[in-house]
């Protein structure tokens, strides 16, 4: 008895099978090329487990349609990756495998992974934020992944520009939303180098923390999570964490009580396994609800 | 068999009993003076129903402590209303009545009321925002009131100042957060008159919508509710609704799909009964979980 996981990312697909506790038993990785090609590898992987496979959990790059009542439920929708636009990934899996399929965003899956077995283990709520090429975030509320009319798109919230920041922003929709000002792409365009080459430049990370702290202020006031886990390439610059905590404290100004900030804002514990672990756990949830 | 409700507001307490469907059977209102006095009236009201009373749901002004594991669970905490600061309202009720007591914010209760019997009836998620003297908001996610480490305090999120707005803001903690710039108090101080006397002044309501739309943008991206119900004294100026919808559409810039905006952003249907109805429903939930 195994549970399948597909972490569908814009550059790679990670597929795995795991046990009911969320433990990864076997995994493979394929580049994200075109649906026909990538999904052929995915199917070949899971065919090995046919008979033992109980369900599959998919955590996908987005935007995706998670509304069960929608005619395009289970589709990857308006992604800039043209080959995948309006691709019915859940439909394709249902054709190939007669098991229940769970479907959510990559970041919601990662939040479920971290709250079950990672940096927020044992809590009933947490957020998972990834700050890399783009900014995405998912959340678990009362033990369940956060969805409503659709899935959250928290990377695009409005923030206040720093008065000395002249960079116009990088988001094709909103210019200077959080992602437009603070994702890896914005750092590279603003400073002319990748974040990893700017590790010693304090100004870069103070500005980065200025934007991230504003986002955490709004997330905290709106969602009141018990813990905020922040991963992604940009956050490998661990010097950002203390700056973000300090700036968040200043912004909140004592208005609400937060958990101890050292415990509230933390890096992932599962690291690159958060998503795939969450997908296994989503498969388990989906099986239990089927 | 009746369910008790206490909508504990900063200026008045509304107490009621209702049936399991949320229907109000009997209600009374008392001014919020000092705990000893106000709570004596509350107790006298419910004593009439002793024997029939199954549970009490309390929706309170805040901040309040909703963390079950906290030593001050059930307290009204750092309110500016000094007589009520650190008042153990749940403890006082437990002493007087041997029934389960549910406890949440007034706005979370109103969200539960509207999603069950009001403007968001039949949905599994909604937000309830009140824009009056202050700004508060609650939410229902997956059919349950939104709580995590604590309760949301969404009225204090950061927004971007309008470039022509010279008013410094009215929030003692954050100056120009949403509440500081857009609550009734801010309108009165900025323009020198109460909102109700400014009904004909388009500039006032365009600026108001500028701030409210920013908040709805962030709430939508973070929570993805199915509907947003906005009440409170300021929103009695119904001309604000179309302005908010239009400005929200501009801000989202087609990035995410929202429900039809006429159905997405609506006034309350239960009007002044949202809170007390939600408190009855909270009492029912609390009884079922006890």
């Amino acid at each position: 008895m195994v549970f399948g996981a597909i972490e569908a990312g814009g550059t790679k697909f990670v597929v795995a099978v795991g046990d009911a506790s969320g433990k990864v038993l076997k995994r493979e990785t394929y580049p994200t090329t075109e649906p026909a090609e990538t999904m052929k590898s995915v199917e070949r992987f899971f065919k090995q487990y046919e008979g033992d496979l109980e369900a599959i959990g998919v955590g996908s790059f987005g935007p995706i349609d998670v509304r069960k009542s929608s005619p395009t439920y289970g589709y990857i929708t308006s992604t800039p990756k043209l080959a995948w636009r309006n691709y019915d990934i859940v439909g394709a899996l249902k054709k190939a495998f007669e098991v229940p399929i769970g479907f959510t965003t990559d970041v919601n899956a990662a939040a479920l992974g971290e709250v079950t077995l990672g940096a927020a283990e044992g809590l009933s709520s947490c957020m998972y934020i990834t700050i890399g090429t783009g900014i995405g975030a998912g959340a678990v509320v009362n033990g369940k992944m956060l969805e409503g009319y659709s899935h959250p798109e928290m990377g695009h919230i409005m923030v206040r520009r720093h008065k000395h920041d002249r960079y116009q922003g990088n988001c094709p929709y909103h210019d200077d939303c959080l992602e437009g000002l603070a994702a890896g792409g914005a750092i590279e365009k603003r400073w002319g180098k990748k974040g990893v080459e700017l590790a010693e430049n304090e100004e870069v990370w103070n500005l980065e923390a200025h934007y991230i702290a504003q986002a955490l202020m709004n997330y905290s006031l709106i969602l009141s999570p018990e813990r905020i886990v922040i991963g992604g390439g940009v956050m490998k610059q661990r010097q950002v964490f203390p700056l973000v905590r300090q700036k968040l404290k200043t912004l909140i100004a004592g208005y609400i009580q937060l958990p101890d900030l050292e415990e509230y804002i933390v890096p992932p514990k599962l690291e690159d396994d958060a998503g795939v672990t969450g997908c296994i756990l989503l498969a388990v949830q989906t099986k239990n609800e089927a």
Side-chain angles (χ1 to χ4, degrees), chain A residues 209-254:
Chain A
H210 170 83
Y211 292 122
I212 297 171
Q214 287 186 49
L216 299 197
M217 163 106 167
N218 284 353
Y219 299 154
S220 298
L221 291 167
I222 293 170
L223 276 176
S224 192
E226 289 164 286
R227 192 157 296 166
I228 298 178
V229 181
I230 322 184
V234 169
M235 299 307 286
K236 298 215 160 143
Q237 302 294 323
R238 289 288 195 263
Q239 70 273 26
V240 186
F241 280 88
L243 298 173
V244 167
R245 293 187 192 110
Q246 180 197 320
K247 285 177 202 286
L248 175 64
K249 191 177 172 190
T250 306
L251 288 174
I252 292 279

Side-chain angles (χ1 to χ4, degrees), chain A residues 268-285:
Chain A
K269 196 168 148 194
L270 302 177
E271 292 288 351
D272 297 336
D273 273 0
V276 76
T277 302
C279 291
I280 295 171
L281 294 163
L282 171 59
V284 176
Q285 278 190 5

Side-chain angles (χ1 to χ4, degrees), chain A residues 18-97:
Chain A
D19 65 19
S21 75
K23 193 183 160 197
V24 177
L25 300 172
K26 181 81 202 295
R27 108 175 47 205
E28 283 188 11
T29 300
Y30 318 113
T32 307
T33 57
E34 296 206 343
E37 188 179 22
T38 307
M39 292 303 285
K40 194 188 253 180
S41 306
V42 169
E43 286 177 26
R44 200 185 310 121
F45 177 80
F46 287 119
K47 283 289 177 199
Q48 306 172 72
Y49 300 94
E50 229 170 358
D52 296 327
L53 191 67
E54 295 285 321
I56 299 174
V58 183
S60 177
F61 68 101
I64 62 176
D65 188 343
V66 295
R67 294 173 58 217
K68 295 247 164 78
S69 62
S70 162
T72 53
Y73 170 78
Y75 283 54
I76 297 171
T77 57
S78 55
T79 169
K81 292 188 76 73
L82 293 180
W84 293 84
R85 188 172 285 185
N86 301 318
Y87 178 66
D88 181 9
I89 187 167
V90 169
L93 291 166
K94 277 193 192 279
K95 253 184 220 160
F97 303 98

Side-chain angles (χ1 to χ4, degrees), chain A residues 66 104-105 107-108 136-139 145-148 150-155 223:
Chain A
V66 295
T104 193
T105 60
V107 279
N108 257 352
M145 287 180 297
L146 177 60
E147 286 173 3
S150 178
H151 56 81
E153 278 287 351
M154 307 193 202
L223 276 176

